[in-house]
Amino acid sequence: MTAVLQDDVLAGLVDLGDLIDAVRTVHRDLTLGQAEQPVPAISATAGTTIVLPMVATSHRFGLTVVKVLTDAPGNREGGGPTQQSTVVVLDSRTGARLAVMSGGACTRMRTAAASAVATDALARNDSRVLGLVGAGPLAVEHVAAVRTVRPIDTVVVWSRSASRVAEFRIALRQREHADGVPALDVLTAPGPRHVVEAADVLCTLTPSRVPVVEGAWLRPGQHINAVGAPPRPDHREIDSHGMARATVVVDNTDIQLQKSGEVLLSLKDGTTTEDDFRCELGAVLAGLAPGRTQHEQITLFNSVGIALQDLAFAALALKRTPWTTPNT
């Protein structure tokens, strides 16, 4: 029987701490040859909309996922979602369809979990101030995820929309109450530079086409999770100087060199080389590549999002769904 799982069910089905552990595992497995993550091909549809089919297989979990992501920036004018996705979960041995999942909660939670894994591997242990450039639902999830791996006591947030910041504050308090964790101090910044200069750990969470963070603003010892830019080669949140200043760790090198605007535009500018993007998160986790080696080092996790992260979420969701029997 195929489970059909909607976002309202999925949001309460997967424990964030378990998901962080599962995302850590699949990234390590990818480096060690226990998982497959091919580069997805982008298909253009009407207007500026693109369709991105993403496939991954985990030998550990015995699962294959096929995620179909649409990025439709034209929806923004009508107030609709710019990104939508559906995840099909298959038994990797038999090909049997185990589940069809809405992609909203999955994408939001696994993205934040990946940032938490990277933060745990790369940020200084004494990091206490979390900076957010962007204040949508992904921001709330990032606060919950990052505070599981570092002793965060203050959040500094900025958004172009004051109403979005107000909604973020309400949603964060509701999440803290639901999770039974102490409320954090939340400060609203007048601009992105103020966030960057205050943050020990910085998360950029905007679908920006032009940089919202300049490399000149980065502070020694800081860690950055660059998360928000869609998989388009002309979109980026961090400028070329920022990419050159930081020690960059990526989720997948081959995908980054084809899909990440941060990578491709800094290469075009001549401020970086392809070798700057060879270090994958899984290699750091497996002890095969260095992460942070100096207290004053600036580290940056450039995240385009990979289907193996969706697979990690799906594996946990299936375990909590009584009418499915995924391989473990």
Side-chain angles (χ1 to χ4, degrees):
M1 181 177 181
T2 301
V4 179
L5 302 172
Q6 302 293 342
D7 281 336
D8 57 346
V9 173
L10 289 168
L13 201 60
V14 173
D15 177 78
L16 181 57
D18 291 343
L19 180 58
I20 291 170
D21 289 340
V23 168
R24 184 181 289 113
T25 295
V26 296
H27 272 279
R28 188 185 297 113
D29 283 352
L30 181 60
T31 291
L32 298 177
Q34 299 176 34
E36 312 294 334
Q37 178 61 75
V39 177
I42 291 180
S43 299
T45 60
T48 59
T49 298
I50 62 169
V51 176
L52 186 68
M54 304 162 63
V55 181
T57 294
S58 166
H59 305 309
R60 176 188 300 273
F61 292 112
L63 298 175
T64 293
V65 298
V66 181
K67 180 180 185 177
V68 180
L69 169 70
T70 59
D71 184 70
N75 288 350
R76 190 175 291 112
E77 295 179 3
T82 57
Q83 289 194 349
Q84 302 173 76
S85 59
T86 302
V87 180
V88 179
V89 189
L90 308 172
D91 183 305
S92 60
R93 182 179 61 85
T94 67
R97 186 182 62 232
L98 301 175
V100 178
M101 305 189 320
S102 297
C106 170
T107 301
R108 185 173 64 252
M109 291 182 66
R110 62 78 152 156
T111 301
S115 292
V117 171
T119 299
D120 195 31
L122 300 169
R124 286 173 15 177
N125 291 331
D126 60 353
S127 299
R128 307 188 74 87
V129 179
L130 175 62
L132 304 173
V133 176
L138 192 56
V140 176
E141 203 68 49
H142 268 74
V143 174
V146 173
R147 73 183 301 188
T148 68
V149 299
R150 286 298 181 271
I152 301 299
D153 55 30
T154 303
V155 174
V156 182
V157 59
W158 172 83
S159 171
R160 290 186 176 91
S161 168
S163 62
R164 181 60 67 91
V165 173
E167 293 168 359
F168 164 79
R169 285 176 170 274
I170 294 170
L172 180 60
R173 293 303 182 227
Q174 292 173 339
R175 178 63 178 266
E176 289 169 336
H177 179 74
D179 291 346
V181 296
L184 299 172
D185 290 333
V186 179
L187 308 176
T188 301
R193 179 170 185 165
H194 298 81
V195 176
V196 176
E197 292 177 343
D200 299 318
V201 176
L202 172 69
C203 299
T204 61
L205 308 167
T206 72
S208 184
R209 186 168 186 170
V210 297
V212 291
V213 170
E214 297 182 15
W217 303 344
L218 301 181
R219 294 194 299 107
Q222 198 168 45
H223 172 68
I224 303 100
N225 298 304
V227 175
R232 292 175 180 262
D234 60 346
H235 285 60
R236 60 176 171 175
E237 298 178 289
I238 314 294
D239 70 3
S240 296
H241 180 45
M243 299 302 286
R245 283 193 71 192
T247 298
V248 179
V249 176
V250 301
D251 42 20
N252 181 273
T253 295
D254 292 339
I255 295 176
Q256 293 268 340
L257 290 173
Q258 293 194 35
K259 312 298 182 188
S260 170
E262 266 93 0
V263 170
L264 294 172
L265 291 171
S266 66
L267 289 173
K268 183 179 179 180
D269 291 344
T271 54
T272 63
T273 70
E274 290 190 4
D275 286 342
D276 293 316
F277 307 111
R278 297 292 181 192
C279 182
E280 295 188 351
L281 180 58
V284 175
L285 298 172
L288 301 177
R292 174 175 294 277
T293 59
Q294 299 176 20
H295 189 73
E296 298 298 292
Q297 183 178 9
I298 298 170
T299 56
L300 187 151
F301 174 57
N302 199 46
S303 173
V304 293
I306 59 175
L308 267 175
Q309 297 164 355
D310 300 295
L311 189 151
F313 182 95
L316 295 174
L318 290 179
K319 285 184 178 180
R320 297 290 301 275
T321 306
W323 57 88
T324 62
T325 54
N327 295 333
T328 56

